[in-house]
Amino acid sequence: MEHLQRPGGRITYDVHGPGGGPLVVGVPGMGDVRATYRHLAGPLPAAGYRFAALDLRSHGDSDTSFAQHTTLDAAADTAALIDELGGPAVIIGNSLGATAAAWVAATRPELVRGLVLAGAFLRGDGVRGAQALALKAMLMRPWGPSMAARYLESLFTGRTTDDHPEHTAAVRAALRSPDRYPGILATFANAFRPVPARLDDVHAPALVVMGEQDPDWPDPAAEAAWMRDRLDGELLMVPEAGHYPLAQRPDVTVPAVLDFLATAQEADRA
């Protein structure tokens, strides 16, 4: 466990793999922790990559002292970590983390060799109307931490891995923390703030990963196809997976990520 000093506090991250290997950085979504990428922490270093996974502000082991918890803050922290570790990097993002990854690719293209975007929100619409009111009410104390944990668990439609209970226990523990929940709640509030992903400025190779059963969209396949076409990228639809395909189906996603990384590395050499 290592720390990156940022204005307002420290971001916690882990690094796995050889010091000189090509860098890959994993960015979790709201409410999640860096262990969501645990299934990549062995295979990527074994293939010669240096893999770093971070905790968002107030999440996991990162500090709770930050005043801001926006998607753009997550993007800035990701860019700072790549600078610290020596980029460029392929960024793997899930949910809000994927929005942040796309923002880094648009605004700091020299730092990004490629993008793996899982369960991504790239339209910049935000949650509005009755759905927004219901979500805000759900997250209010005293029931908010319990309801947030239940909501996040509901996104794991389909299969889960043997170590899934340990992972969700860590997420629930953070939500129950009176020190952490305000920052996590502020991160959830990003769902109500439209954040355009600036896709016209994203030129890095991209792999879009979508669970076939992702409950965040009425038609996950159509949303994924839109992202693929918009980014001129590749698409992996993951069967029996919801909003967290990298955590739920490593048997499908890890080989695809390794293939994408190899292709991105070959493109760098060309």
Side-chain angles (χ1 to χ4, degrees), residues 16-44:
H16 310 267
L23 181 62
V24 182
V25 172
V27 188
M30 63 183 190
D32 207 355
V33 295
R34 67 189 189 277
T36 195
Y37 295 115
R38 61 198 179 278
H39 302 295
L40 294 172
L44 266 60

Side-chain angles (χ1 to χ4, degrees), residues 79-121:
L81 181 59
I82 296 171
D83 278 329
E84 174 77 10
L85 297 178
V90 172
I91 307 178
I92 302 175
N94 194 103
S95 198
L96 176 150
T99 311
W103 187 269
V104 177
T107 59
R108 297 288 306 276
E110 76 281 3
L111 295 182
V112 182
R113 295 172 49 242
L115 297 167
V116 178
L117 306 175
F121 292 95

Side-chain angles (χ1 to χ4, degrees), residues 170-215:
V171 171
R172 286 195 302 272
L175 290 168
R176 286 195 300 267
S177 167
D179 295 329
R180 296 200 172 279
Y181 190 67
I184 296 173
L185 183 59
T187 306
F188 268 89
N190 285 287
F192 314 121
R193 304 185 186 111
V195 181
R198 291 184 52 169
L199 298 185
D200 288 341
D201 299 317
V202 176
H203 303 293
L207 171 63
V208 173
V209 183
M210 180 72 80
E212 290 184 355
Q213 300 176 26
D214 193 324

Side-chain angles (χ1 to χ4, degrees), residues 40-237:
L40 294 172
L44 266 60
Y49 298 98
R50 192 169 32 128
F51 178 54
L54 61 88
D55 280 324
L56 299 177
R57 299 179 177 199
S58 295
H59 290 60
D61 294 302
S62 289
D63 287 349
T64 60
S65 51
F66 292 98
Q68 299 289 332
H69 295 78
T70 69
T71 303
L72 300 192
D73 292 322
D77 294 340
T78 302
L81 181 59
I82 296 171
D83 278 329
E84 174 77 10
L85 297 178
V90 172
I91 307 178
I92 302 175
N94 194 103
S95 198
L96 176 150
T99 311
W103 187 269
V104 177
T107 59
R108 297 288 306 276
E110 76 281 3
L111 295 182
V112 182
R113 295 172 49 242
L115 297 167
V116 178
L117 306 175
F121 292 95
L122 300 184
R123 292 183 185 267
D125 295 336
V127 178
R128 300 178 182 178
Q131 186 181 7
L133 291 174
L135 184 56
K136 288 178 181 179
M138 181 187 78
L139 296 172
M140 290 175 60
R141 283 179 164 168
W143 55 79
S146 175
M147 293 297 291
R150 191 176 302 176
Y151 167 70
L152 292 172
E153 181 66 25
S154 75
L155 299 179
F156 285 93
T157 48
R159 289 197 210 176
T160 55
T161 55
D162 290 342
D163 57 1
H164 177 71
E166 289 82 0
H167 178 68
T168 53
V171 171
R172 286 195 302 272
L175 290 168
R176 286 195 300 267
S177 167
D179 295 329
R180 296 200 172 279
Y181 190 67
I184 296 173
L185 183 59
T187 306
F188 268 89
N190 285 287
F192 314 121
R193 304 185 186 111
V195 181
R198 291 184 52 169
L199 298 185
D200 288 341
D201 299 317
V202 176
H203 303 293
L207 171 63
V208 173
V209 183
M210 180 72 80
E212 290 184 355
Q213 300 176 26
D214 193 324
D216 270 325
W217 289 277
D219 189 342
E223 185 68 18
W226 176 83
M227 285 188 272
R228 176 202 60 201
D229 295 344
R230 193 71 174 76
L231 294 168
D232 192 23
E234 304 173 32
L235 172 59
L236 173 66
M237 293 299 300

